[in-house]
Amino acid sequence: IEQNTAELYDPNTGKFRATTNMHSARAEHFMTLLSNGTVFISDGEHTPEIYDPATGSFRETVRVSDDFYYGATATRLASGEVLLGQGVYIAAAYIYNPADGGYRFAGFSLERSGGFEVSLPFSNSVATLLPNGKVLFLGGVTSVYGEIGRAHV
């Protein structure tokens, strides 16, 4: 069920409290902390939003031309840009530039990994920035093969 609510967790009190609602209800969204302390949030289906913890507010930002839909990843790179990696309906990756709100195409995933054509769209993988600046993607689901055990950088 898509919801537009948001909460903040305070580790000092161990409690959650409500904050301002997002503009769009979302499910299976992804987010990442940006270098300036704001948070990029998207589900690929609705216009992405930026949460500003200083004001407790959300603002909409530019949407990438292709839909990522649910299950994509958002990984902040050393440059401060964000690598948006795949989703259910697209096998491409894009880089979001928070400075100008623009996107650029970053390419497609590897052609083969573990015997699977990972150029097919996949979702629900996880990604993390490695110390050498590369991004490691693990696991995921495709509409063709179901769950796949794969890793690629």
Side-chain angles (χ1 to χ4, degrees):
I1 297 173
E2 292 184 349
Q3 297 183 14
N4 69 338
T5 58
E7 296 180 348
L8 296 171
Y9 175 73
D10 184 341
N12 295 320
T13 64
K15 297 186 182 199
F16 289 89
R17 73 169 176 81
T19 188
T20 311
N21 289 345
M22 295 181 287
H23 293 272
S24 298
R26 303 175 188 280
E28 298 195 47
H29 44 291
F30 48 93
M31 61 186 177
T32 193
L33 181 66
L34 301 176
S35 299
N36 66 1
T38 61
V39 181
F40 175 87
I41 304 145
S42 184
D43 61 1
E45 188 174 358
H46 303 93
T47 301
E49 299 185 43
I50 304 292
Y51 175 72
D52 185 342
T55 63
S57 63
F58 292 88
R59 69 173 169 81
E60 294 182 319
T61 189
V62 179
R63 183 177 176 178
V64 70
S65 58
D66 288 324
D67 287 334
F68 275 85
Y69 288 94
Y70 53 88
T73 62
T75 307
R76 186 178 78 193
L77 304 174
S79 66
E81 296 173 310
V82 179
L83 176 66
L84 302 173
Q86 288 131 352
V88 170
Y89 299 113
I90 187 167
Y94 287 85
I95 294 180
Y96 169 71
N97 183 342
D100 64 13
Y103 297 85
R104 72 177 184 275
F105 180 71
F108 293 99
S109 62
L110 295 174
E111 295 173 5
R112 289 194 168 272
S113 180
F116 289 98
E117 293 287 334
V118 294
S119 60
L120 291 171
F122 64 90
S123 65
N124 300 323
S125 61
V126 293
T128 193
L129 182 66
L130 300 174
N132 65 4
K134 295 181 180 182
V135 177
L136 174 66
F137 287 85
L138 297 174
V141 176
T142 72
S143 59
V144 176
Y145 298 112
E147 292 182 15
I148 55 176
R150 63 152 171 72
H152 68 270
V153 179

